Amino acid sequence: MPRVQAEELEALHPSSYGWALGCCGYDREEAQDVLQAVYVKVLEGGARFDGASTLKTWLFAVIRRTAAERRRRRWMRALAFDRWRQRSVAPALPDPEQEAHGAESARRLRAALRALPRRQREIVHLVFYQDLSLDDAARVSGISAGSARTHYHRAKARLRAILVGP
Amino acid sequence: MSDRDERDPHDDALRRAFSELRRQDAAGAPDFHGVVARTPPVRRPGRARLGQALAAAALAVAFLVGLLARRPRPEPALPSIAAWTAPTDFLLRTPGGELLSGVPRIGSDRPLVTLDGAAGAPDSRERTASP
């Protein structure tokens, strides 16, 4: 399988950025760091696309794993008293200026998504934001289709409860 | 399974909200080449290594303490049952008790035979003096 070209990554860049934001709790700096690590990994051959799924699904899985790995590293560093002031196990909040520019519905949706468990947030983001099928969303998240369906329905119910009210 | 099958008309509001979110994120997305050329965040290996070394030392100490705590200790030797005496034995020893522990003999101020054999045996003079 030929190495992924920069043009292919660039074509997927807006979607990848949105997914990286979702994986990083809408922390823009962290999302860019994750994307940079992923792009370098892919372009230098550290992560190889095997063609078993679409490039988008595979790339999203790499982004998700990279974000999770960085989260774990930060957590370990926090345990080792390094950067203990910047405990970032919980997703960092975007700065107020950026928030102010967002439309009210998007702001409320971000807040509602942050309130969801990670798996539910991932699945609902992949289906609604990225227009992936539940099967592909399950592949990206590394879980079974049945689990993805459960997370999807629970996430929708919780989002409705938060956004619309019971 | 298709996502189309999973969607229902009540999802419209959610879809609209996600669409707005996507539009905003896309508008604020950084340039692809800028992201690739982005300088990786600087790490501070010195402090990180110090923390890791401290954590490793703490783990090693905990491991050693655990090993010492689990090591079986030698049990104290039990005294033989034949050598055992009741702690209240002294209460049975009364003053003049040695008088009751032997058979008195006439003409002798000492008992000829003691029940426990502790008193003196009769000498020949005493034996001849007896009838």
Side-chain angles (χ1 to χ4, degrees):
Chain A
M1 188 59 63
R3 191 176 281 187
V4 177
Q5 299 299 310
E7 292 76 28
E8 295 173 280
L9 290 182
E10 189 170 5
L12 289 172
H13 177 62
S15 303
S16 301
Y17 178 65
W19 174 231
L21 277 176
C23 289
C24 299
Y26 297 95
D27 179 341
R28 289 168 195 262
E29 285 296 312
E30 178 64 11
Q32 289 185 41
D33 285 346
V34 166
L35 270 191
Q36 196 261 351
V38 168
Y39 289 162
V40 169
K41 208 187 305 184
V42 172
L43 292 174
E44 290 181 351
R48 291 182 181 276
F49 175 49
D50 57 4
S53 60
T54 65
L55 177 61
K56 185 178 181 180
T57 304
W58 174 79
L59 183 63
F60 277 22
V62 176
I63 291 171
R64 182 187 155 274
R65 276 200 302 272
T66 306
E69 191 182 316
R70 288 174 60 89
R71 207 164 41 239
R72 271 195 299 274
R73 274 196 206 149
R74 280 202 311 276
W75 187 75
M76 289 300 287
R77 283 209 293 273
L79 269 187
F81 308 109
D82 185 33
R83 292 187 182 180
W84 63 275
R85 282 173 186 271
Q86 303 174 19
R87 277 187 195 173
S88 40
V89 177
L93 296 175
D95 64 7
E97 191 180 345
Q98 286 171 339
E99 281 285 88
H101 286 109
E104 178 62 16
S105 67
R107 190 193 62 76
R108 289 182 63 214
L109 181 57
R110 274 195 205 102
L113 284 170
R114 279 192 208 105
L116 293 183
R118 181 169 299 282
R119 284 283 188 217
Q120 292 183 17
R121 186 167 67 231
E122 284 178 6
I123 295 296
V124 82
H125 177 108
L126 288 167
V127 171
F128 280 103
Y129 186 113
Q130 303 288 354
D131 262 342
L132 291 186
S133 68
L134 265 178
D135 279 345
D136 281 344
R139 245 175 244 126
V140 170
S141 288
I143 57 176
S144 69
S147 295
R149 185 191 294 266
T150 305
H151 288 307
Y152 173 74
H153 286 297
R154 286 182 184 163
K156 275 201 315 184
R158 288 189 67 169
L159 278 181
R160 270 202 211 103
I162 294 170
L163 295 172
V164 182
Chain B
M1 177 175 54
S2 158
D3 55 325
R4 303 281 181 264
D5 300 334
E6 299 296 333
R7 290 178 178 177
D8 56 53
H10 302 295
D11 293 344
D12 284 346
L14 275 182
R15 215 168 289 135
R16 276 197 301 274
F18 271 99
S19 172
E20 173 61 25
L21 184 62
R22 187 169 51 221
R23 192 188 60 73
Q24 281 191 18
D25 289 345
D31 177 53
F32 171 75
H33 298 286
V35 171
V36 174
R38 183 180 170 86
T39 309
V42 178
R43 297 180 64 186
R44 288 172 294 173
R47 293 190 64 188
R49 282 192 191 138
L50 175 66
Q52 285 165 2
L54 283 175
L59 273 179
V61 168
F63 179 71
L64 282 177
V65 168
L67 269 186
L68 288 176
R70 286 170 59 106
R71 203 168 68 177
R73 292 178 183 169
E75 290 181 8
L78 290 174
S80 165
I81 190 70
W84 182 83
T85 54
T88 53
D89 259 6
F90 71 96
L91 295 175
L92 299 175
R93 285 187 224 116
T94 53
E98 64 274 10
L99 297 176
L100 301 173
S101 62
V103 179
R105 288 190 60 145
I106 299 170
S108 170
D109 56 346
R110 289 166 55 194
L112 177 64
V113 177
T114 58
L115 291 181
D116 57 0
D123 54 22
S124 56
R125 185 177 52 84
E126 287 172 343
R127 199 173 291 130
T128 53
S130 64

